[in-house]
Amino acid sequence: MNFATGNALVFVGAAGIAVRAISPFVCDKKTDPAVLVIDEKGEFVIPILSGHIGGANGLARKIAVLLGSTPVITTASDVNNLPAIDEFAARNNLAISDMNLAKEFAAKMLAGASPRFTISVYIKNDILSLIPRCVILGIGCKKGKSAEELQSFVCSVLKNHKIDYRSLEKIASIDLKKDENAIISLSESLKLPFVTFPAEELNQIPQKVSHSDFVSQITGTDNVCERAVFASGASEILIPKISQNGMTLALGIRKIDVKIPEKLSEHFISDESEKSVLWSEK
């Protein structure tokens, strides 16, 4: 149960005992929690699982400072004083597009080669991409739409525009839709928060949006999906309003600032198409 929560586990005792205790539960590098072992005298702090993504290495260093112990770090990138791309991603809340590409990136770094990566909300198949969670999905729909129809609509738009679903940060709509089952089901399926705003607040959004007299008569605001993404903190519209069978959606993006360590900056490739919505600081 504790393993599944994702919280760090710290064993005090022999490393072998800890390994046997966690072995039935180890599942995936992307989701396994940090696991550390401290010997009974408190002389050594040893991360044994999820050193980078789970943060076990960093936690070991912190605990070692508090105890006056020695952190025993064995991951290859740390031993060779190289930045770890998966640790950088986890620290900045960036999803890794492909773990195999991440492994290849690390191997090339260790071999002294010059691998490349980018930071993008778009699907990339030819390069390691770190995906920021900064896209806001604005939704409007007629009452009683099925969850399956709405989900199919959203998935088709994401696919057509090559937006990686892992870039989604939240779903937004008008408060009239706060109990709409289809949207609630979508938020649960995507594991995203669902936020709503009253028409009065949506109408205060200063950004220009497309106008509909019909929508205004029904909801009190001329555009639900585009105004909702701005109300949720979007910097600009990524995909303007799209309508289909009584459903509308828009995608907005919140600007992010990612500080890339010097040793990784030379491997970073800027995506020219996203300069206006994403930026990095080397």
Side-chain angles (χ1 to χ4, degrees):
M1 180 64 72
N2 288 332
F3 195 91
T5 64
N7 294 324
L9 299 178
V10 180
F11 287 83
V12 178
I17 295 175
V19 170
R20 290 188 178 90
I22 67 172
S23 60
F25 308 101
V26 175
C27 179
D28 190 307
K29 183 176 181 179
K30 294 183 291 185
T31 57
D32 289 337
V35 179
L36 304 93
V37 175
I38 303 174
D39 67 280
E40 62 183 30
K41 288 187 176 181
E43 293 182 353
F44 302 100
V45 184
I46 313 166
I48 61 171
L49 187 69
S50 202
H52 289 153
I53 295 178
N57 288 358
L59 183 57
R61 294 185 180 99
K62 291 179 181 178
I63 293 176
V65 170
L66 295 173
L67 297 180
S69 308
T70 301
V72 182
I73 311 297
T74 59
T75 42
S77 56
D78 295 88
V79 170
N80 289 277
N81 195 31
L82 293 171
I85 195 72
D86 49 358
E87 184 176 41
F88 167 72
R91 190 169 62 248
N92 289 279
N93 196 30
L94 304 170
I96 296 173
S97 62
D98 187 313
M99 289 303 296
N100 288 326
L101 289 178
K103 290 178 182 177
E104 290 178 13
F105 184 96
K108 288 179 179 179
M109 288 278 285
L110 288 168
S114 185
R116 295 286 184 260
F117 78 98
T118 190
I119 298 174
S120 177
V121 301
Y122 294 102
I123 295 172
K124 308 284 186 181
N125 296 318
D126 56 345
I127 186 173
L128 174 62
S129 179
L130 304 184
I131 307 159
R133 295 177 177 91
C134 61
V135 174
I136 301 166
L137 172 60
I139 292 285
C141 69
K142 287 183 178 179
K143 185 176 181 180
K145 280 290 177 180
S146 72
E148 293 77 15
E149 186 177 10
L150 181 60
Q151 185 162 338
S152 177
F153 174 46
V154 171
C155 289
S156 67
V157 171
L158 292 175
K159 182 178 179 179
N160 289 340
H161 292 273
K162 298 183 178 179
I163 304 293
D164 196 302
Y165 77 93
R166 289 168 290 185
S167 68
L168 296 178
E169 179 182 34
K170 66 180 72 170
I171 298 173
S173 189
I174 192 169
D175 61 358
L176 293 174
K177 294 297 175 182
K178 67 179 185 297
D179 297 319
E180 192 69 42
N181 288 331
I183 306 179
I184 292 172
S185 177
L186 179 68
S187 72
E188 292 174 348
S189 175
L190 294 174
K191 298 180 180 179
L192 296 173
F194 173 36
V195 297
T196 61
F197 305 89
E200 295 79 8
E201 186 172 347
L202 294 179
N203 288 333
Q204 296 301 312
I205 298 303
Q207 293 90 342
K208 185 178 180 180
V209 300
S210 59
H211 174 83
S212 169
D213 288 332
F214 176 75
V215 173
S216 184
Q217 292 172 4
I218 300 298
T219 67
T221 188
D222 61 351
N223 186 312
V224 170
C225 57
E226 291 181 351
R227 289 189 179 276
V229 298
F230 281 125
S232 297
S235 307
E236 61 182 84
I237 294 292
L238 190 61
I239 305 297
K241 177 182 174 181
I242 297 175
S243 301
Q244 178 180 299
N245 298 330
M247 302 172 290
T248 63
L249 72 75
L251 293 172
I253 190 161
R254 175 178 57 80
K255 285 193 174 182
I256 62 168
D257 184 9
V258 179
K259 295 178 175 60
I260 302 176
E262 184 177 352
K263 289 184 179 180
L264 275 179
S265 63
E266 61 188 83
H267 303 280
F268 172 67
I269 297 177
S270 176
D271 190 327
E272 294 296 324
S273 66
E274 295 179 88
K275 271 193 171 180
S276 63
V277 290
L278 302 176
W279 73 93
S280 63
E281 182 178 322
K282 296 184 179 181

